[in-house]
Amino acid sequence: GRLEAVTQQMGYHPQYLDSFLKMQHYLMHMDGPLPFDCRHYIAIMAAARHQCRYLVNLHVLQFLRAGGDPQWLRGLEFIPPKLRNLNEINKILAHRPWLITKEHIEKLLKISEWSWSLAELVHAVVLLAHCHALASFVFGCGCEQDEGLGGRGSLKALSLGNQCFCEATAGNSCSQELLRINRKRSLDSCMELDSLRERMQRIHVETEGREEMRLLQQDREEGEGQGAGVGVQGRGLYGTPGWLSLLADPDGEVTGATNLACYMQDPDFGYQDFARRDEDQTQVFRVQDYSWEDHGFSLVNRLYSDIGHLLDEKFRMVDGLQSSAMAKRQGCEPSVFKRGIWNYIHCMFGIRYDDYDYAEVNQLLERMLKVYIKTVTCYPEKTNSEMFDRFWKQFKHSEKVHVNLLILEARMQAELLYALQAITQYMI
């Protein structure tokens, strides 16, 4: 099943997979500051920044299952202002996290009735960084291509009863408790699908009725015949609004979202090289001044209980993965090779380590591998189907997945460092 593509790829490194699934489950489905439907909508907003239909489709289904308002799926104009206000920090985190300042944080925390609490904002920031980084992994490992031509695939109806990737794949669950929960939910999934079909169809009929009335009124105002055939913005195939293309077909499959532009503003805002030669040097983020271990971990764990431990375990797990064969091909020790990749990724986001000789990066990483890493890290939506196979043929598949896991975790930590530093500066 297509929903299991991420789990199948990470399954080459089962210890990391277990750590990833525990964090993902806690972030999306356990007690926390944010409501469950809002968590999935934030994930939709984050994945849309990189045009990742795989993740958008997954979280649209989870959003509906959590009782989310289907009207929100029409786009940012139809969601509460509080959620919509998150768009700016989502955009910056996804593409140029070094631009985040304490003023961005202050704006979110002090907007009268639509203000965020510190705990809610930390939860949202972790969600955004997680989904941005996961989009890099999805594109980097070709999971997005599995969705078919044009990125429009179908998601198995069983996904409506799933809670996270771990529950979509028997044998790879993160605990016996999750296995037990999964078995119960799988029994209910068919009933939930029928209920969802009826709910979506009812909303569809009501919406179509209102749209007909609006068009008739428009016809009367514009004169006979001028309103006929006028398209409605955001409508999908067969006259159905794009956000309602999620209705299940007779075979029990649910078609994915068609238009991701409605989930983001300023689509032309993208990654730019941190230090352009024709511009003044932007202030470098020095890990010696603000690090995950000494600063970020304690802050995030204090405001969102236990998530810090789960994130820290995941960071340590990817660092501990074996890569002796991969490093041997590059003529170095495994730890040296992994640190070269990690520091190269952080360098692209303006994060520097004073104790590291960056000349090593060019010695350790071949040019084509650097191109691949930069593409998947900074603009994953530009990753094409040939890159995974052609750019580094000397690596085994599991080794390629390992590099993509390093990209995922290094990118996520980079975004978190900038966001958490801005929150810290606001709190001082």
Side-chain angles (χ1 to χ4, degrees), residues 134-370:
L134 189 54
S136 285
F137 183 85
V138 167
F139 279 104
C141 286
C143 301
E144 180 76 2
Q145 281 73 32
D146 285 345
E147 288 293 278
L149 294 175
R152 283 200 67 220
S154 56
L155 306 178
K156 295 298 181 183
L158 181 59
S159 64
L160 294 169
N162 293 340
Q163 285 284 25
C164 65
F165 292 123
C166 55
E167 297 172 55
T169 306
N172 275 324
S173 65
C174 37
S175 70
Q176 289 299 316
E177 176 63 16
L178 288 181
L179 274 176
R180 183 189 65 77
I181 296 171
N182 182 44
R183 282 194 287 267
K184 181 180 184 303
R185 287 183 182 133
S186 64
L187 293 174
D188 298 334
S189 61
C190 292
M191 294 176 61
E192 291 183 8
L193 177 59
D194 290 338
S195 174
L196 177 60
R197 280 184 183 138
E198 294 174 3
R199 183 180 172 201
M200 293 296 288
Q201 188 60 49
R202 185 168 60 251
I203 295 170
H204 167 59
V205 171
E206 293 173 356
T207 304
E208 287 292 286
R210 288 194 296 270
E211 196 58 50
E212 288 294 328
M213 292 297 294
R214 191 187 71 79
L215 288 175
L216 286 173
Q217 180 66 26
Q218 182 177 316
D219 286 347
R220 285 194 293 270
E221 293 175 356
E222 296 181 359
E224 184 176 354
Q226 290 190 7
V230 175
V232 181
Q233 185 177 6
R235 295 171 72 84
L237 296 173
Y238 312 112
T240 305
W243 59 277
L244 278 176
S245 63
L246 288 157
L247 286 170
D249 64 23
D251 295 327
E253 294 191 348
V254 182
T255 305
T258 58
N259 178 25
L260 304 189
C262 67
Y263 297 125
M264 58 179 170
Q265 297 171 355
D266 195 4
D268 294 330
F269 185 91
Y271 175 81
Q272 290 183 351
D273 286 339
F274 173 76
R276 290 185 167 185
R277 295 183 180 181
D278 58 342
E279 296 179 359
D280 293 336
Q281 177 78 13
T282 308
Q283 186 174 357
V284 171
F285 186 111
R286 298 196 178 278
V287 174
Q288 283 70 19
D289 298 330
Y290 195 95
S291 68
W292 166 256
E293 293 80 6
D294 297 332
H295 307 90
F297 168 81
S298 59
L299 175 64
V300 75
N301 216 48
R302 176 157 52 94
L303 293 171
Y304 181 14
S305 178
D306 292 332
I307 194 66
H309 291 293
L310 294 169
L311 289 170
D312 194 60
E313 178 186 327
K314 197 157 60 80
F315 292 145
R316 293 176 185 276
M317 189 63 66
V318 78
D319 184 57
L321 292 179
Q322 297 299 314
S323 58
S324 55
M326 185 165 60
K328 186 177 180 180
R329 290 191 186 90
Q330 305 305 113
C332 64
E333 292 296 318
S335 60
V336 174
F337 183 62
K338 286 187 291 186
R339 190 180 184 194
I341 293 177
W342 187 278
N343 288 2
Y344 175 55
I345 294 167
H346 275 196
C347 183
M348 288 186 285
F349 288 113
I351 298 174
R352 307 280 288 190
Y353 295 79
D354 289 345
D355 61 348
Y356 185 72
D357 179 7
Y358 284 87
E360 285 189 10
V361 171
N362 290 329
Q363 298 171 7
L364 294 171
L365 308 181
E366 298 174 0
R367 178 181 174 276
M368 297 306 282
L369 178 55
K370 287 175 66 179

Side-chain angles (χ1 to χ4, degrees), residues 97-116:
W98 56 87
L99 296 180
I100 286 189
T101 65
K102 65 178 182 180
E103 284 73 29
H104 290 109
I105 304 302
E106 184 177 18
K107 185 177 179 181
L108 288 169
L109 296 175
K110 292 186 176 180
I111 309 180
S112 63
E113 59 181 311
W114 305 115
S115 63
W116 291 71

